[in-house]
Amino acid sequence: MKKLHRGFYQRKNVLQVAKELVGKILVTKFGGIETSGRIVEVEAYAGIIDKASHAFGGKRTARNEVMYGEGGAAYVYLCYGIHHLFNVVTNYREVPHAVLIRALEPIEGVETMLKRTGKKKPDHTLTRGPGNLSKALGIYTQHSGISLQSKELFITDDDFVFKKNQIAASPRIGVDYAGDHSLWPYRFFVKDNPFVSGKLK
DNA sequence: CGACCGATCGTCT
DNA sequence: GACGATCGGTCGA
């Protein structure tokens, strides 16, 4: 289990980082309790040229400021007033790229995840979709800006790799407002994995 | 099945 | 004052 180093995140090609994040393990250890899951779905957001990104056009606000920091930090924001969406900031300072983590396969701490989400059984909805996974791992907007080198929130590599033909690309979900950019194939996911969100199959 | 809808609130205009 | 990088429930076919 190797914690991903800063160099993994601080690369220029957000699509490359997004693809490589599929198969890695997202871990939280809040209050000494570990919960983790293998990443099976992500979306890349390509900064100022990407109409779907919060940083489109160089827009800079208190909320998205962490996207302009150096790669390797968490960017968490509240969506629809309910869901806390977890992103990984990539690239270098002043280049606001990010990868949204959309689904996990639970590994560690399923009991804790059930407690946090209020679900009864550990089915595929537990960590399916960005809102659900954040809730299951205990990630909230208060964690926005913290480094992924921290002891409480980080991503590891256990040398597991999905085969190339198991990974598919598609347009991103829920970004119709981005017009033509909503068609960009910036979503990467594991085929036929029950934890992957979006329409079934 | 698919379409629709309500929840809920921080952020930006 | 409007609007989400969502989710889960309901309703009708």
Side-chain angles (χ1 to χ4, degrees):
Chain A
M1 288 292 236
K2 300 161 293 199
K3 187 180 286 188
L4 295 183
H5 47 98
R6 288 155 41 120
F8 179 91
Y9 306 104
Q10 293 174 12
R11 285 184 283 165
K12 293 186 176 175
N13 189 338
V14 67
L15 294 176
Q16 184 66 27
V17 176
K19 282 184 223 175
E20 290 182 25
L21 278 171
V22 176
K24 301 296 190 288
I25 302 173
L26 175 62
V27 184
T28 64
K29 231 179 252 183
F30 298 125
I33 301 170
E34 176 167 336
T35 45
S36 68
R38 191 175 306 283
I39 296 167
V40 294
E41 180 185 2
V42 301
E43 282 176 3
Y45 286 83
I48 67 173
I49 60 155
D50 181 354
K51 290 181 196 168
S53 170
H54 290 167
F56 175 63
K59 185 163 108 164
R60 197 161 186 154
T61 66
R63 178 178 69 157
N64 73 11
E65 184 60 29
V66 26
M67 295 182 79
Y68 289 84
E70 56 185 18
Y75 171 48
V76 188
Y77 72 94
L78 187 64
C79 185
Y80 293 101
I82 304 174
H83 305 290
H84 299 250
L85 305 208
F86 171 73
N87 298 251
V88 170
V89 176
T90 71
N91 217 303
Y92 298 94
R93 193 169 286 285
E94 297 304 321
V95 186
H97 289 184
V99 178
L100 171 68
I101 309 300
R102 290 192 56 93
L104 307 173
E105 236 175 45
I107 296 178
E108 205 69 46
V110 171
E111 285 305 313
T112 302
M113 296 186 200
L114 288 172
K115 208 173 295 175
R116 284 174 178 154
T117 57
K119 293 178 192 281
K120 310 266 191 257
K121 291 183 178 176
D123 64 5
H124 58 79
T125 67
L126 190 58
T127 51
R128 171 190 182 145
N132 286 334
L133 101 240
S134 297
K135 196 170 185 185
L137 295 213
I139 300 171
Y140 298 94
T141 52
Q142 64 192 74
H143 300 116
S144 197
I146 77 173
S147 165
L148 295 176
Q149 303 305 119
S150 101
K151 288 186 164 36
E152 297 194 306
L153 175 58
F154 52 90
I155 299 175
T156 63
D157 180 0
D158 66 349
D159 290 325
F160 174 88
V161 280
F162 285 108
K163 293 188 179 68
K164 244 188 179 155
N165 62 14
Q166 287 180 278
I167 309 292
S170 80
R172 293 168 293 186
I173 293 179
V175 295
D176 293 346
Y177 60 84
D180 47 327
H181 293 185
S182 69
L183 300 175
W184 290 359
Y186 279 19
R187 170 173 176 254
F188 303 99
F189 61 97
V190 179
K191 288 187 216 171
D192 300 319
N193 185 293
F195 292 92
V196 170
S197 67
K199 41 187 157 183
L200 300 181
K201 281 276 170 175

